[in-house]
């Protein structure tokens, strides 16, 4: 398309019909026929505006013209492909004003919120998390983790009550078991449910010593009780390194649940476990004597058997 046409409308119609939009855009831009570009995206086919924007970025068109073009189409412009075109050219910040415009107008488009919660401007992600609600929490949280925005990912998962994902961010990425335990306490207080069982299981898996594991077991009686009531005891089964910790709740006549930690090798290792493991507040001796543990007013029987991979 080297010829300079006095009227580009026939060319526009042909290129639009047969899918030569990037070529059309390049021709119009290099021949300084900007008003035809505006007319195409505003009146002929707003749905192809992302392709036009992508080509203009490749042609190093001034940002002010591109931003004005985008704002002139506004809600008629499909957001997801526009984000894709800008993202693969590392130019997402170009869209910040446009996306904020749509939100201020009451847009409920999930793609608008996703592009604005995490992609367009990482420095403002936390502000967007606090202000916006209509975005895909699980997906955006995962994107935040991939972008190493761990505090933002934790805030997203917490906002959407994705407690297991939230505690795993604290354990795996932030690497703060203290914050994870604090968060788990809040989860337990708010709702003794399957979620709290899974959060507790994540803490058990992350425990770095036998004494820490027992401390966690002793600290979450409501969760342990809930796991047996809701039939989610299986959530408390976790394999870690060479050790296998099997946590399973037993139903006592009193109606209060206890824990029994056993392994397939418990019979052969019971003597060594009892001598090498730290004393547990749930030891079998306290159960046999009928003592009350932790103020629960109930008897607990807990056996503790571990493989050789756990450090005390």
């Amino acid at each position: 398309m080297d010829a300079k046409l006095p009227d580009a409308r026939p060319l526009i119609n042909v290129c639009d019909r047969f899918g030569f939009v990037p070529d059309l855009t390049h021709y119009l831009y290099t021949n300084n026929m900007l008003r035809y570009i505006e007319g195409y995206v505003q009146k002929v086919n707003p749905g192809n505006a992302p392709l036009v924007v992508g080509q203009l970025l490749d042609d190093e068109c001034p940002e002010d013209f591109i931003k004005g073009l985008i704002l002139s189409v506004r809600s008629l412009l499909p957001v997801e492909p526009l984000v894709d075109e800008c993202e693969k050219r590392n130019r997402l910040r170009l869209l910040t004003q446009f996306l904020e415009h749509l939100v201020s107008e009451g847009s409920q488009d999930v793609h608008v919120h996703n592009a604005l919660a995490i992609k367009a401007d990482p420095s403002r992600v936390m502000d967007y998390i606090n202000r916006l609600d209509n975005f895909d929490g699980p997906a955006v949280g995962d994107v935040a983790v991939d972008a190493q925005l761990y505090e933002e990912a934790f805030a997203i998962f917490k906002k959407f009550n994705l407690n297991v994902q939230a505690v795993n961010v604290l354990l795996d990425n932030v690497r703060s078991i203290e914050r994870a335990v604090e968060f788990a306490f809040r989860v337990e207080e708010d709702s003794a449910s399957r979620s709290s069982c899974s959060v507790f299981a994540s803490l058990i898996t992350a425990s770095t010593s036998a004494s820490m594991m027992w401390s966690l077991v002793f600290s979450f009686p409501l969760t342990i009780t809930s796991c047996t009531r809701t039939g989610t005891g299986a959530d408390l089964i976790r394999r870690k390194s060479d050790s296998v910790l099997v946590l399973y709740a037993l139903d006592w006549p009193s109606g209060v649940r206890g824990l029994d930690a056993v392994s397939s090798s418990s019979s052969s290792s019971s003597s060594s476990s009892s001598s090498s493991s730290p004393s547990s507040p749930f030891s079998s001796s306290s159960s046999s004597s009928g003592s009350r543990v932790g103020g629960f007013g109930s008897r607990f029987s807990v056996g503790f058997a571990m493989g050789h991979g756990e450090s005390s």
Side-chain angles (χ1 to χ4, degrees), residues 134-184:
N134 190 35
F135 60 92
D136 187 342
V140 177
D142 289 339
V143 171
V145 171
D146 292 340
Q148 299 183 358
L149 299 174
Y150 301 135
E151 292 296 339
E152 290 83 352
F154 172 69
I156 291 169
F157 290 137
K158 180 181 174 183
K159 179 171 184 171
F160 283 82
N161 294 319
L162 300 170
N163 297 321
V164 177
Q165 292 94 321
V167 80
N168 284 338
V169 168
L170 294 177
L171 292 170
D172 300 336
N173 305 115
V174 180
R175 298 187 180 278
S176 172
I177 197 166
E178 293 82 7
R179 287 182 60 187
V181 171
E182 180 184 0
F183 176 71

Side-chain angles (χ1 to χ4, degrees), residues 262-270 273 305-307:
V262 297
S263 75
S264 58
S265 61
S266 60
S267 58
S268 61
S269 61
S270 59
S273 296
M306 300 179 64

Side-chain angles (χ1 to χ4, degrees), residues 80-98:
E80 187 175 18
L82 177 64
V83 169
D84 291 340
E85 291 293 329
C86 292
E87 185 174 21
K88 63 188 179 184
R89 294 170 173 84
N90 198 27
R91 302 290 291 276
L92 270 175
R93 290 200 179 195
L94 182 76
L95 302 180
T96 301
Q97 183 182 3
F98 166 66

